[in-house]
Amino acid sequence: EDKVVQSPLSLVVHEGDTVTLNCSYEVTNFRSLLWYKQEKKAPTFLFMLTSSGIEKKSGRLSSILDKKELFSILNITATQTGDSAVYLCAVLYSGGGADGLTFGKGTHLIIQP
Amino acid sequence: NAGVTQTPKFQVLKTGQSMTLQCAQDMNHNSMYWYRQDPGMGLRLIYYSASEGTTDKGEVPNGYNVSRLNKREFSLRLESAAPSQTSVYFCASRQDRVDEKLFFGSGTQLSVL
């Protein structure tokens, strides 16, 4: 079963809209949750969250973690066409056997002009 | 400022051919990973290496072998390529327990005909 579930899987909005992307997880020995943006090529790092309730912010992007309810959200305000990408959520946990880093399937975000 | 370097960027193989994907990182990271990415499937772990001389299977190891040649280099080998191995392959690295961020190479687009 999937340990990391992202929703929605795809989203189309108009430029200027605000979007909220969701990531829920189910792991034991949680260490951190990471958000990545993927355009044509390799994923690029956005945020790493380890503590509940502390918002991380970078320009129009922000993210927060809820360790009680086991989810994170990524907000993008005043969206621009350059925000079009796949947004990946990954959870790092201890005792995960060969690897303690699991990715969700991603949210494909399309911003229309 | 190289980070994670992957070669080749593109490759076309015929069924049954073999090839090796090369990956090197210059950040002195101990952990290295090989992922494949297919539409709608997210990033799936093929193999992982926690340190020089150790490798572990990930979620989808069948049909692949790896070698952690030294701390810098982690190669992925397809002994007898199959059409199901058509995918985009990413190498990644991180310094476990120090910086949880995963750094990605630029990817290899592999087609098996």
Side-chain angles (χ1 to χ4, degrees):
Chain A
E1 69 285 354
D2 290 347
K3 290 186 169 71
V4 181
V5 178
Q6 290 186 248
S7 63
L9 292 180
S10 65
L11 183 60
V12 181
V13 299
H14 290 287
E15 205 167 18
D17 288 350
T18 292
V19 298
T20 298
L21 310 184
N22 303 290
C23 176
S24 64
Y25 62 92
E26 189 173 335
V27 300
T28 52
N29 300 318
F30 172 88
R31 281 164 51 181
S32 58
L33 185 145
L34 299 95
W35 284 98
Y36 284 83
K37 177 183 181 182
Q38 186 178 24
E39 296 172 269
K40 298 286 186 191
K41 292 188 175 180
T44 54
F45 173 78
L46 293 175
F47 298 112
M48 184 171 73
L49 304 152
T50 54
S51 302
S52 250
I54 299 174
E55 185 183 54
K56 293 277 183 96
K57 200 169 170 64
S58 176
R60 295 176 294 102
L61 278 68
S62 64
S63 184
I64 198 160
L65 174 69
D66 185 330
K67 289 168 75 174
K68 184 180 175 186
E69 300 297 330
L70 308 183
F71 77 93
S72 174
I73 60 171
L74 175 68
N75 277 324
I76 309 175
T77 59
T79 53
Q80 302 170 358
T81 54
D83 295 326
S84 295
V86 175
Y87 290 83
L88 296 166
C89 170
V91 171
L92 185 67
Y93 57 100
S94 299
D99 174 61
L101 182 64
T102 299
F103 282 84
K105 289 183 168 52
T107 293
H108 188 190
L109 177 64
I110 297 172
I111 311 296
Q112 292 182 336
Chain B
N1 206 22
V4 181
T5 303
Q6 241 183 280
T7 56
K9 293 194 186 313
F10 301 96
Q11 185 71 49
V12 179
L13 294 177
K14 294 181 181 177
T15 297
Q17 286 186 316
S18 62
M19 78 160 295
T20 300
L21 281 66
Q22 307 287 353
C23 176
Q25 51 89 12
D26 62 2
M27 296 173 283
N28 204 35
H29 287 171
N30 55 348
S31 297
M32 296 187 73
Y33 304 75
W34 276 105
Y35 289 93
R36 60 177 288 173
Q37 187 174 38
D38 304 291
M41 301 295 290
L43 283 161
R44 292 186 293 169
L45 183 68
I46 305 172
Y47 269 94
Y48 155 79
S49 171
S51 61
E52 184 181 347
T54 68
T55 61
D56 287 289
K57 295 179 181 178
E59 183 185 352
V60 288
N62 291 344
Y64 305 95
N65 285 304
V66 289
S67 292
R68 183 74 182 267
L69 303 167
N70 46 54
K71 192 170 186 180
R72 289 187 65 246
E73 298 172 287
F74 188 38
S75 62
L76 178 72
R77 182 160 177 83
L78 287 70
E79 289 291 351
S80 179
S84 61
Q85 294 178 305
T86 293
S87 189
V88 179
Y89 291 84
F90 288 102
C91 177
S93 72
R94 69 184 173 97
Q95 186 65 6
D96 194 27
R97 303 286 177 175
V98 173
D99 181 354
E100 311 284 37
K101 294 196 299 288
L102 201 59
F103 293 83
F104 286 88
S106 57
T108 297
Q109 181 120 28
L110 175 66
S111 295
V112 183
L113 307 176

